[in-house]
Amino acid sequence: MKDAQGEGYLLARDDLFDWTDTLLRDFAVQGPVLKKKGQTVFERIDDPSSLQLDYCSTMLAPRNFIYPQRQEFLHIQRSSGQTRVVTPAPAARNILFAIHPCDMHAITVLDRIFSRDSWDFSYNKARHETITVVLNCAKACDQGFCSSMGTGPFLKIKDGYDVEITPVDRAYVMEFGSRRGRDLIRKAANLRRITGADLSQKKRVEKKAEASFTKFLDTKGLPELLARTLNHSVYKVTADTRCLNCTNCTMVCPTCYCYNTEDLTRFDLKQVERKRHWDSCQELNFARVHGGNFRSSREARLRQFVTHKLCTWVEQYGCVGCIGCGRCMTWCPTGIDLTEMAKEIQRDWSPAEKR
Amino acid sequence: MKINPGNPLLPLRAVVLHKTRETENTFSLKLSLPDTRPVTFQPGQFNMLGIPGIGEAALSFSSLPIGKRSFVHTIRLAGNVTEALSRVSKGDRVHVRGPFGNGWPVQQAKGKNVVIVAGGIGMAPLRPVVYYLLQNRKSFGKLLLLYGVRSEEDILYRDELEDWLKSGEIKVLLSMDEKPRKGILGARQGVVTTLLDAIDVPLADTVTFTCGPEIMMRFVARQLIIRGQGGNRIFVSLERRMKCGTAHCGHCQIGAKYVCKDGPVFAYADIKRFADTLL
Amino acid sequence: MFNPRNPRFKNMKRMKPRIAVFKYSCCAGCEFQLIFFQKHLLETLKAVDVVYCKMLKSGGVEAGPFDVALIEGAITEEWQASQLKKIREASRYLIPIGSCAVCGGIPAIKNSTDELDVEKRVYADTAFLHSVTAAPIDHYVKVDGYVKGCPMGERDLDELVISLLLGKKPVFLEYCVCVECKLRGAICVLVAYGEPCMGPVTNAGCGALCPVNNRACYSCWGPMRDANAKALADQFLKMGLRKEDIFRKFTEFGQPTDEFKPGALT
Ligand SMILES: Cc1cc2nc3c(=O)[nH]c(=O)nc-3n(C[C@H](O)[C@H](O)[C@H](O)COP(=O)(O)OP(=O)(O)OC[C@H]3O[C@@H](n4cnc5c(N)ncnc54)[C@H](O)[C@@H]3O)c2cc1C
Ligand code: SF4
Ligand code: SF4
Ligand code: SF4
Ligand code: SF4
Ligand code: SF4
Ligand code: FES
């Protein structure tokens, strides 16, 4: 719906705040905000000037606005067994504002998971009600390698998002991926239609952004390679010497979707809240059943993370599970880096294959 | 049945019609859905049974559909949910979601011999297959049921086994870890793999269905492959931790497969390539 | 673990669960915590029978029988150990509450000093004292789960009481503080600010109280099962901590437990 029809607008840099101000009237705008000690987090803004548009990946991806950490999804009357679905109700419609392209891709990956094989009510309801405004990246994040994963630094998908913003010289190119997005853009004053010149300027910014990457991952043949090197020593060595099984890697990963459920019975013993919360394959009991644990070793748990992201995901969903945001390695207390593990396996195997 | 297709996490309430004690730690619940839609499911599929405040557990159907909306689950005590299920009585209600999973590929077995290898509680998900094979007896070649238990007390569905044995439609062989008393279904002492020697049909023309402890299925499958059966003709039913049944919670993953969606029944060759199984 | 079908208790009448609370060497903070949870306690007291609890009421029969015995504090004297064994006999479930009872806690700090020196340092007259190395409850008797924390945490205590009322086995948290930390969206103080946080090896239950308040976790909940203490200690070394500091981090709540030994000895 964008380039093809040449639709899109140009908004002067200074007018962006006014536009955001307009949005604040009708929506809950969740944007990147700079906190003390230099951390950026996504939170609801009430003043456009608190936005920090030039930011590196936040610790938590904005996925929690659609798929929250904890969520009651069913309410049960214990005596009768009567159930009521608990509907996630955002107070006002959420706008995820200025999210990075990689995080937008991650949301579309979650879409496949929660709606392809079967329909997750809570996720899809929140997803449907959430408007996404993507801000293309003018330069690479510290640990990002999205250019290797085909998810950045500029948006690579054609739908699933609402607005795409690109910073160009003293202005923003505003494009849309949905009718909802177009209507949102049109709320801005002082818009003008983009021209070919604007688009070639956008291209130049993209080229420059792409040239700024320092971290790469060669994904060609990687899933197949990982599938036949399940017993590579890198898993055991890394797991034993460095992995804490702290789950941070998977908790910050924007495409991780695993959850656990629990029944919370209130003290009156009448009401039961069936809740779910993010879970992680790095957790000791994740694969425990009566009489055993299928991933009792730390090695097995670490391998599950790495191979799920870079290998088995492809067979499951037709795309890799890693969008190259660099969060897992940034927020791992011991700096474990799945690209380094993949590269070590590639190093060990490529000479033999060339022969 | 496809309970609540709109929201597969929302359970329906089923009425307990009947509770049968099977062994010291195993019992069966006959459930009925007070719903107008008829219940349909395949042998090998499973439900999530739930008790409010306790949680849910994945349990295979141990019967074919009975009438329009009844079915049986056979349950071994393992923890909180199964303990709570053991405390329900006739007339009580339990939560049901399902059916989930793929079921045994009985169509692929048409015209072939079928060997069924069960261990312990693994007999439960295999019982509906036996029912099905006997109901459609003409579509299949020779039928063999090899069943391994620990002791006499652990034999599930003993009356039915005797009936099947007497009918002559299916060959039933029993193995027991303990030394069996004489005359119990002709049981011999040993693990279930010792019964494999009794298979008197050409394996190349045979489909095997097996369910039991994973380590048992490993030995069964490997033995059969050595004896000439193809790994894609051996079907195993696997157990993993399950929270959703809808391929969302991630717990039941084995490599690229979700046991709740792609399984619980897998071709041995297809699932063995992944890590974290005992196969 | 829990076995409600234990034949020894089969004939016990089904009535309100009888609860006893025993205190050994500790600050009594856990018992206080128990009483402090008033909003729940009032409701709970209607459903359970607290038959022995020194802080709550006088009297009560020490000999039991009890449905649940909650044990607070570490064992530091011989008489405590022999009483504990009797309580075990008389109780269906026995559950240590709080870090002292779970893993030695504060009393176990003395364990790296000679016993007689410790006695002399505290008491003028040591004639009637038979102190022993401070040990957690499960050193002497079999336990049926742990309510961890210093003082014990609300989440696991709630789960225990509710489970008792529902007749199920309580599911205590068995993952590390980092999980709760991320579920609450707190910025990681270890990674972002270089604080030596013990969260990755510490059992959850507190709701990541310290990191949420921008402080490093100091492991008051005690070790998480299967913690990789060595890997965290190595990371602390890289972050510039001295070996003595690291030893202290892994022994702040008692002598190094099995999980923490590899970290303490780094
Ligand atoms: C597809 C499928 C079909 C099945 N069919 C059948 C069937 O037909 N019949 C049958 O009897 N069973 C069947 N099972 C197995 C059944 O699902 C489990 O036995 C059941 O889920 C146990 O649930 P529970 O709540 O009773 O036990 P849980 O409370 O879940 O406990 C199970 C075990 O895990 C341990 N455990 C649980 N949670 C934790 C934790 N957080 N930390 C540490 N340990 C923990 C417990 O101590 C216990 O040993 C099937 C499983 C699958 C996946
Ligand atoms: S964040 Fe690092 S240490 Fe923690 S589980 Fe993941 S890889 Fe292991
Ligand atoms: S695996 Fe790591 S780099 Fe890849 S998407 Fe997840 S957090 Fe980002
Ligand atoms: S990496 Fe682990 S936590 Fe993340 S989606 Fe895969 S299995 Fe789930
Ligand atoms: S602050 Fe501490 S508890 Fe929280 S994630 Fe970081 S290391 Fe874990
Ligand atoms: S964060 Fe650590 S030190 Fe703080 S309360 Fe929790 S367990 Fe105790
Ligand atoms: S049971 Fe949740 S993914 Fe299979």
Side-chain angles (χ1 to χ4, degrees):
Chain A
M1 232 186 271
K2 45 174 196 171
D3 296 357
Q5 292 156 23
E7 274 202 80
Y9 300 88
L10 200 77
L11 186 68
R13 224 167 238 214
D14 297 339
D15 289 338
L16 189 83
F17 279 179
D18 288 342
W19 179 57
T20 318
D21 229 358
T22 322
L23 301 183
L24 281 172
R25 270 182 240 141
D26 300 328
F27 300 94
V29 178
Q30 316 284 353
V33 174
L34 188 67
K35 307 298 274 190
K36 58 174 190 280
K37 302 209 212 176
Q39 289 295 324
T40 308
V41 299
F42 272 91
E43 62 178 34
R44 184 166 180 173
I45 58 162
D46 44 27
D47 175 5
S49 66
S50 59
L51 282 174
Q52 170 73 23
L53 292 180
D54 178 17
Y55 69 102
C56 262
S57 279
T58 49
M59 182 184 79
L60 290 186
R63 82 170 152 151
N64 58 324
F65 293 99
I66 299 171
Y67 178 40
Q69 286 103 317
R70 291 179 196 275
Q71 182 172 40
E72 179 185 355
F73 62 94
L74 218 57
H75 195 91
I76 310 172
Q77 295 285 336
R78 198 167 145 262
S79 51
S80 67
Q82 210 78 257
T83 48
R84 173 168 63 75
V85 175
V86 178
T87 313
R93 292 220 288 177
N94 269 342
I95 294 184
L96 299 186
F97 195 81
I99 60 176
H100 284 170
C102 59
D103 288 343
M104 188 64 238
H105 279 88
I107 292 172
T108 61
V109 171
L110 289 179
D111 289 348
R112 290 191 210 194
I113 288 151
F114 284 122
S115 57
R116 195 193 63 184
D117 299 316
S118 47
W119 188 257
D120 187 273
F121 178 80
S122 312
Y123 176 90
N124 286 297
K125 180 157 188 349
R127 170 72 169 110
H128 180 74
E129 288 180 353
T130 304
I131 297 173
T132 45
V133 176
V134 181
L135 177 67
N136 281 329
C137 295
K139 66 174 189 343
C141 294
D142 296 343
Q143 298 254 42
F145 52 103
C146 55
S147 65
S148 302
M149 310 309 285
T151 59
F154 275 35
L155 206 57
K156 299 278 194 291
I157 40 176
K158 295 271 172 277
D159 50 23
Y161 65 96
D162 295 302
V163 177
E164 174 189 4
I165 304 179
T166 311
V168 292
D169 191 25
R170 284 195 300 275
Y172 291 102
V173 171
M174 315 276 283
E175 290 160 295
F176 50 87
S178 70
R179 185 160 296 133
R180 183 164 75 170
R182 185 186 60 190
D183 296 346
L184 207 68
I185 294 175
R186 285 186 181 163
K187 285 177 190 283
N190 307 326
L191 285 175
R192 76 158 168 77
R193 280 285 164 100
I194 41 169
T195 61
D198 296 326
L199 284 177
S200 44
Q201 209 193 347
K202 180 185 167 190
K203 264 261 144 356
R204 277 201 300 281
V205 179
E206 182 171 11
K207 279 244 149 56
K208 206 168 149 215
E210 258 161 16
S212 66
F213 280 84
T214 52
K215 197 177 177 98
F216 304 96
L217 181 65
D218 181 5
T219 56
K220 196 162 157 288
L222 185 60
E224 297 77 14
L225 177 64
L226 293 181
R228 59 171 199 275
T229 51
L230 293 173
N231 293 318
H232 195 282
S233 60
V234 69
Y235 298 122
K236 181 160 173 51
V237 172
T238 313
D240 286 352
T241 58
R242 290 168 68 199
C243 183
L244 306 161
N245 278 142
C246 64
T247 76
N248 279 318
C249 46
T250 50
M251 290 284 167
V252 297
C253 179
T255 61
C256 275
Y257 52 87
C258 292
Y259 67 75
N260 199 357
T261 62
E262 60 184 344
D263 275 15
L264 287 184
T265 310
R266 296 200 190 146
F267 268 87
D268 61 8
L269 301 186
K270 293 194 182 97
Q271 314 281 326
V272 177
E273 297 166 16
R274 183 157 291 169
K275 289 189 159 176
R276 67 179 178 193
H277 60 82
W278 295 354
D279 202 354
S280 162
C281 58
Q282 301 308 294
E283 201 247 297
L284 177 63
N285 294 313
F286 190 79
R288 175 182 295 275
V289 297
H290 178 68
N293 184 342
F294 287 100
R295 287 192 209 99
S296 59
S297 77
R298 217 171 269 139
E299 171 195 2
R301 296 194 287 270
L302 186 61
R303 175 180 47 220
Q304 169 63 17
F305 169 58
V306 177
T307 55
H308 192 208
K309 290 291 148 184
L310 298 175
C311 165
T312 51
W313 208 291
V314 180
E315 193 177 328
Q316 289 172 326
Y317 298 106
C319 61
V320 277
C322 172
I323 48 95
C325 67
R327 285 185 175 90
C328 53
M329 48 216 84
T330 305
W331 295 97
C332 171
T334 63
I336 292 174
D337 182 335
L338 88 166
T339 66
E340 290 302 327
M341 280 188 269
K343 283 172 195 163
E344 187 169 333
I345 297 175
Q346 283 172 328
R347 270 198 298 276
D348 281 359
W349 280 77
S350 50
E353 280 175 351
K354 273 183 207 138
R355 249 185 274 136
Chain B
M1 149 170 69
K2 211 65 216 169
I3 295 166
N4 289 308
N7 184 353
L9 294 180
L10 183 64
L12 287 186
R13 287 175 302 154
V15 178
V16 178
L17 294 184
H18 202 67
K19 184 165 144 194
T20 326
R21 194 188 161 100
E22 303 281 0
T23 72
E24 170 73 29
N25 63 358
T26 313
F27 60 97
S28 292
L29 291 182
K30 183 173 175 187
L31 303 172
S32 182
L33 279 173
D35 191 33
T36 45
R37 286 165 297 169
V39 172
T40 53
F41 58 85
Q42 305 303 316
Q45 286 193 295
F46 66 95
N47 269 335
M48 297 294 287
L49 256 52
I51 300 279
I54 312 284
E56 295 184 309
L59 294 158
S60 305
F61 292 97
S62 66
S63 72
L64 294 171
I66 303 168
K68 274 207 167 65
R69 43 192 143 272
S70 300
F71 46 88
V72 180
H73 289 288
T74 302
I75 305 161
R76 177 196 52 179
L77 296 179
N80 273 333
V81 178
T82 45
E83 294 271 1
L85 285 169
S86 76
R87 288 195 293 266
V88 303
S89 37
K90 190 174 166 174
D92 288 351
R93 282 160 199 272
V94 296
H95 278 170
V96 181
R97 300 194 286 122
F100 298 117
N102 60 358
W104 300 100
V106 279
Q107 297 309 323
Q108 282 191 43
K110 286 253 159 85
K112 301 201 173 62
N113 307 308
V114 183
V115 174
I116 294 173
V117 189
I121 185 72
M123 188 62 224
L126 284 166
R127 182 169 71 163
V129 184
V130 178
Y131 289 159
Y132 181 88
L133 296 176
L134 293 177
Q135 277 177 15
N136 302 275
R137 186 63 192 88
K138 290 202 177 61
S139 311
F140 301 95
K142 283 198 173 173
L143 305 180
L144 263 86
L145 169 61
L146 316 181
Y147 182 22
V149 292
R150 252 182 306 155
S151 66
E152 191 181 335
E153 287 74 45
D154 294 324
I155 304 173
L156 286 177
Y157 320 129
R158 197 160 152 182
D159 296 346
E160 282 173 281
L161 291 173
E162 268 158 16
D163 289 348
W164 295 339
L165 189 66
K166 269 186 229 137
S167 75
E169 303 275 11
I170 179 169
K171 191 164 164 182
V172 180
L173 292 168
L174 197 72
S175 76
M176 227 178 254
D177 294 359
E178 286 176 7
K179 194 167 163 52
R181 284 190 298 132
K182 254 211 151 64
I184 300 167
L185 291 149
R188 38 174 117 164
Q189 192 176 9
V191 290
V192 77
T193 35
T194 56
L195 299 175
L196 296 177
D197 291 333
I199 299 178
D200 51 1
V201 293
L203 280 173
D205 216 15
T206 299
V207 170
T208 301
F209 298 151
T210 176
C211 183
E214 212 155 298
I215 200 83
M216 175 210 97
M217 293 193 275
R218 165 209 187 102
F219 285 115
V220 168
R222 292 186 175 192
Q223 281 283 325
L224 289 174
I225 287 171
I226 291 170
R227 288 158 200 242
Q229 193 169 23
N232 49 2
R233 288 280 182 75
I234 302 172
F235 293 92
V236 296
S237 177
L238 301 182
E239 178 189 347
R240 284 295 180 278
R241 193 172 193 78
M242 288 192 176
K243 288 291 173 182
C244 66
T246 60
H248 291 160
C249 79
H251 280 260
C252 71
Q253 287 179 95
I254 301 176
K257 300 291 181 185
Y258 289 96
V259 175
C260 66
K261 169 176 74 89
D262 309 307
V265 178
F266 294 98
Y268 178 73
D270 192 30
I271 197 70
K272 200 194 129 38
R273 60 196 166 105
F274 299 115
D276 310 327
T277 72
L278 301 177
L279 302 170
Chain C
M1 274 260 282
F2 278 81
N3 182 6
R5 294 191 313 277
N6 187 337
R8 208 144 52 85
F9 302 104
K10 226 171 198 164
N11 298 326
M12 220 151 116
K13 276 213 201 88
R14 202 69 231 130
M15 41 186 176
K16 281 191 195 176
R18 293 159 54 89
I19 297 187
V21 189
F22 289 90
K23 175 193 171 303
Y24 296 120
S25 303
C26 62
C27 71
C30 290
E31 215 166 322
F32 189 73
Q33 180 88 327
L34 193 68
I35 292 157
F36 186 72
F37 287 146
Q38 290 180 11
K39 56 179 170 150
H40 295 158
L41 200 74
L42 289 177
E43 294 152 6
T44 308
L45 284 179
K46 275 183 261 158
V48 304
D49 225 346
V50 179
V51 291
Y52 186 89
C53 178
K54 274 280 156 65
M55 197 184 263
L56 202 61
K57 61 191 223 184
S58 54
V61 196
E62 278 179 43
F66 311 117
D67 286 289
V68 179
L70 302 176
I71 314 288
E72 174 199 30
I75 299 296
T76 58
E77 288 183 78
E78 277 164 18
W79 70 267
Q80 297 173 332
S82 51
Q83 189 192 39
L84 181 64
K85 284 172 189 156
K86 285 190 196 121
I87 299 169
R88 173 72 268 190
E89 289 293 307
S91 317
R92 191 163 167 176
Y93 304 141
L94 183 141
I95 295 183
I97 56 174
S99 286
C100 301
V102 169
C103 56
I106 301 290
I109 291 174
K110 72 167 186 154
N111 288 0
S112 36
T113 318
D114 187 62
E115 202 56 52
L116 206 63
D117 289 346
V118 177
E119 288 187 2
K120 280 191 196 136
R121 204 149 113 200
V122 183
Y123 297 95
D125 181 4
T126 58
F128 297 99
L129 207 63
H130 295 286
S131 81
V132 292
T133 312
I137 301 307
D138 62 5
H139 183 77
Y140 291 98
V141 295
K142 189 179 139 305
V143 302
D144 304 295
Y146 306 86
V147 178
K148 296 181 180 182
C150 183
M152 64 167 162
E154 193 169 352
R155 189 269 171 205
D156 279 355
L157 183 64
D158 285 359
E159 170 70 14
L160 175 70
V161 175
I162 286 286
S163 299
L164 204 61
L165 300 177
L166 294 181
K168 77 176 182 68
K169 180 185 107 179
V171 182
F172 297 124
L173 299 184
E174 220 182 31
Y175 45 69
C176 67
V177 176
C178 296
V179 176
E180 290 185 315
C181 194
K182 284 290 179 292
L183 290 182
R184 292 187 65 174
I187 295 289
C188 175
V189 301
L190 191 154
V191 171
Y193 315 133
E195 301 277 345
C197 184
M198 290 286 281
V201 294
T202 302
N203 204 90
C206 64
L209 194 58
C210 299
V212 164
N213 290 296
N214 269 315
R215 289 199 40 195
C217 164
Y218 53 90
S219 199
C220 77
W221 238 252
M224 168 189 68
R225 214 169 110 209
D226 201 36
N228 195 348
K230 178 82 174 74
L232 186 62
D234 286 345
Q235 183 62 24
F236 287 168
L237 270 182
K238 269 195 215 146
M239 287 162 59
L241 267 73
R242 290 174 307 149
K243 293 201 166 175
E244 306 88 84
D245 300 333
I246 296 174
F247 179 81
R248 234 169 273 131
K249 285 214 148 291
F250 284 94
T251 54
E252 198 160 342
F253 280 80
Q255 81 207 78
T257 48
D258 285 348
E259 290 92 341
F260 277 4
K261 230 171 244 162
L265 300 180
T266 291

